[in-house]
Amino acid sequence: MAILDVIKFGGLVSRDWLVYKHPKDSITLGSQLIVGEGQVAIFVKGGAVCDVFTPGTYTLSTNNLPLLQGIINLPFGGKTPFSAEIYYINTVTKLACMGHL
């Protein structure tokens, strides 16, 4: 089993989704975060939004998540898992109006 993870969401075939929560909440620094076209990824730690990632590939580190520098167990080289949530937001789906107000 790999120590570092690849975190990505390929999207649903229908594109009828708005928000997807990545199922794992144990993340290791150095993991790859992949954000597809038409998505943004929201990184949440302790109920607070730490960062927003636009389409691209990112290596999660204290350079792009400086808030974590004091949280991560640095004596272990920052490779220890920590709890956080990643939400993918669909930026291309348009909501249909359900009638007039």
Side-chain angles (χ1 to χ4, degrees), residues 1-42:
M1 181 163 87
I3 294 174
L4 303 180
D5 291 325
V6 174
I7 302 165
K8 71 178 187 175
F9 175 56
L12 301 174
V13 175
S14 67
R15 299 292 290 175
D16 286 346
W17 62 279
L18 293 177
V19 178
Y20 170 79
K21 181 184 181 290
H22 191 270
K24 282 184 75 175
D25 63 357
S26 180
I27 299 168
T28 305
L29 282 181
S31 294
Q32 295 287 305
L33 173 66
I34 300 172
V35 183
E37 289 297 321
Q39 300 175 347
V40 294
I42 310 294

Side-chain angles (χ1 to χ4, degrees), residues 48-79:
V49 173
C50 295
D51 210 338
V52 177
F53 295 89
T54 56
T57 300
Y58 305 89
T59 299
L60 298 180
S61 69
T62 56
N63 290 336
N64 57 16
L65 296 167
L67 177 70
L68 297 179
Q69 192 164 13
I71 297 171
I72 301 303
N73 198 350
L74 293 177
F76 295 100
K79 301 240 189 286

